[in-house]
Amino acid sequence: MEVAPVGVWISRDTSCERVESNAEARRQLRLGGEGGATERSVWHRPSHFKVFIDGELVAAHDLPLQQAAREGRTFRDVELEIRFEDGSHSRLRMNCVPVFDSSGRPAGMVASSVDMSRPEDEEPVAEEHGAELARRTSELRETYDRVRDFERLALTGTIASGLGHDLGNLLLPLRLRLDALRRMTLPSEAKADIAAIETAVNYLQQLSAGLRWLAADAGTGTDSGSRTRLRGWLKGAERTLRDTLPSGVAFSVDVPAGLPAVRISQVALTHAITNLVQNAGQALRSQPDGHVHLSAARTADGSGVRLSVRDNGPGLDEEGMDRCFEPFFTTKKRQISTGLGLAVVRSLARRAGGDAAVTSASGDGATFTFTVPVARSEMDTGVPVTESQAIITVKGERRLALLRTILTHDGFEIAAAEDAADIAKGVWISDLTAPADQDSLRSFVEKGSQRWALVIGHPDQAFHHPRIIQAGAFDDIPALRAALEHVVQAESARTDADV
Amino acid sequence: MRMSEEQKALQRTAAVVVVDDNPLVVEALRRRIALESDLTMLGALNERDDIITRVAELRPDVVLLDIDIPGVDGFELVRQLGREQPGVRVVMFTGHARKDYFEQALASGAWGFVLKSAPTQYLLDAVRRVSRGEVVITDADDPDR
């Protein structure tokens, strides 16, 4: 069997009592066998060799592998001198990366080792394996980078979920007290003190919000079925975006009509684009002719929409472009940046099924792109879904209020049952409280191909009409939303023959 | 001039009971709500109180209930209040932007779901709107609210 030039060690416990290893790893420590099996680790209690680092004998407990697995530490390019009991010795260069469980606790490690002291007669073999070694090292480096990113996100998620409750509990009374103080007549010195405290609290609030977005990403990683029409969203968001820029920085927008709705909530989109515009503004802070341009266009394959935020600032260097989406990486002063803004932007894009990226030429500004998929309901036809109306006839004040809130949130305009005849496109939601409701619903859906009915709380009743949908139990909100999404999807997927 | 029902509702004072185990939160809410002419805080309860009985005695319009009080199943409490005190509307508030909390809150009969990170004015308005018969939800998809 061909000898692999990189030894690999995997432990699935924090004590490194048992490890899996490959054939090269076993060769490096003269263990024999082909590798792959999990067995008692030689690293746990080395018997036929001793390990020295920088000439110092290292106890098993303090070996990089053990520390990585036990304490979650990362070790890169550590040189181990292995002194075997027969008097011979070798040198291994080792990388150790910890592995964490879902709650962020250390749960093991992955290590690689390269033999730095191969005998000269093996040189030709080493040369033969040179390219392979480079390839595998590169793979290992990529894996390491991925593990490092994952590790950071997992750690962030753990911190966020732990801190979320405590931060919220501490910031809420602080904000309430500050709010109360702001309403009092106070000397100007006290007002200045309060303003300074508010700045600090707002910073913590931003940090907390960023952490929560990242934690939400780690927790779900899925799109929730939200959909946003860009032109409608822009009407509400443009002022906010403009206000985030320093005075003197120009802002222009080019979001053409006819773009399909995208698969992300309005709040998430606002959060992401605000971050990008704010980021651009900060790059232009000391520039007299600063300009930020927001544009949107469908992607080449038609599956998504790409929003671009371009500035004419100093641009990013290579490291900046490589690392700007990493959590806690920032080139700005800490007082204006949490280091989470762009990490959250990428997290939001990926959560929606898209991605964020940056292009920049030094001295020639930067362009950040935020790409999100077209909403599922518009994928087939590309036909934008216009706003629909909704009639709600259900018993119970809370049920009525809840449906009203959900439907408004989802973009429906609420209409009265008396106006049913005037509705071109919409849905009637009923719990069939009155006996005549069933006939009213049937008549409603039959008089227009873009009219739907949603019946709540009558799972056993048969309606025999394709546009009368049963939404199940009233309080099953996910089922209700799924039924509404079905209506919206069906609307846009209809063919001309239906009209 | 006679006031419309809507105007009367807008002018009515909404009475609130806060259920939270954190005295810092409770006292800050008491201080802040006292500054609102249309809101009154009737009292504060925690896990040591018989919450259902005390709510029945205090008869608030709205209960502002922290979901995560140790030893209290917040969702069961909302269901029980719905059965025993149907006139009382519960706004659940929490530091966790969790979708399952959001869905459970609505399924158990809460009139509101608000995150503790929400701006102060949003929290106070949520109490007002719920007392007027609106359902106020901060979708847990939107953890920034």
Side-chain angles (χ1 to χ4, degrees), chain A residues 393-404:
Chain A
T393 51
V394 298
K395 197 178 174 187
E397 195 185 0
R398 177 182 171 274
R399 290 181 170 188
L400 197 60
L402 176 59
L403 278 176
R404 188 178 275 273

Side-chain angles (χ1 to χ4, degrees), chain B residues 52-115:
Chain B
I52 300 285
T53 307
R54 292 288 293 134
V55 167
E57 288 165 4
L58 293 165
R59 302 175 61 82
D61 299 298
V62 176
V63 169
L64 194 54
L65 168 67
D66 179 10
I67 294 181
D68 300 296
I69 301 177
V72 177
D73 180 341
F75 304 112
E76 181 50 37
L77 188 62
V78 176
R79 276 189 283 272
Q80 211 177 332
L81 279 170
R83 284 194 300 271
E84 297 178 25
Q85 300 295 324
V88 175
R89 295 167 182 167
V90 180
V91 174
M92 302 193 92
F93 76 139
T94 175
H96 293 296
R98 286 172 49 172
K99 206 171 177 103
D100 57 333
Y101 272 16
F102 166 74
E103 288 169 358
Q104 282 187 71
L106 293 184
S108 58
W111 280 73
F113 179 87
V114 179
L115 297 178

Side-chain angles (χ1 to χ4, degrees), chain A residues 4 54 56 60 72 87 100 112 117 121 214 216 218 227 247 279 284 323 327 368 416 455 467 477 479 481 491 498:
Chain A
D54 294 334
E56 299 282 334
F100 297 90
S112 65
S117 52
D121 59 0
L214 290 177
R227 51 200 300 286
S247 60
N279 190 60
L284 296 166
R323 299 191 56 198
F368 283 86
V455 176
R467 289 198 306 279
I477 305 299
R481 282 201 148 149
E491 272 182 5
D498 291 325

Side-chain angles (χ1 to χ4, degrees), chain B residues 4-22:
Chain B
S4 69
E5 286 304 313
E6 197 177 340
Q7 283 172 319
K8 279 183 194 168
L10 285 173
Q11 290 204 350
R12 209 171 64 84
T13 299
V16 190
V17 163
V18 174
V19 184
D20 197 308
D21 63 319
N22 185 340

Side-chain angles (χ1 to χ4, degrees), chain A residues 403 427-431 453-461 463 468-487:
Chain A
L403 278 176
V427 58
W428 187 329
I429 301 179
S430 171
D431 60 359
L454 216 64
V455 176
I456 298 177
H458 295 270
D460 300 328
Q461 196 153 342
F463 291 93
I468 300 182
I469 297 166
Q470 282 158 299
F474 184 87
D475 290 323
D476 187 351
I477 305 299
L480 177 66
R481 282 201 148 149
L484 283 172
E485 176 68 11
H486 179 79
V487 170

Side-chain angles (χ1 to χ4, degrees), chain A residues 169 175 179 224 397-398 405, chain B residues 32 106 110 116 118 135 141:
Chain A
N169 266 349
R175 288 186 293 116
D179 208 42
S224 65
E397 195 185 0
R398 177 182 171 274
T405 300
Chain B
R32 184 62 191 82
L106 293 184
K116 286 187 172 175
V135 165
D141 274 353

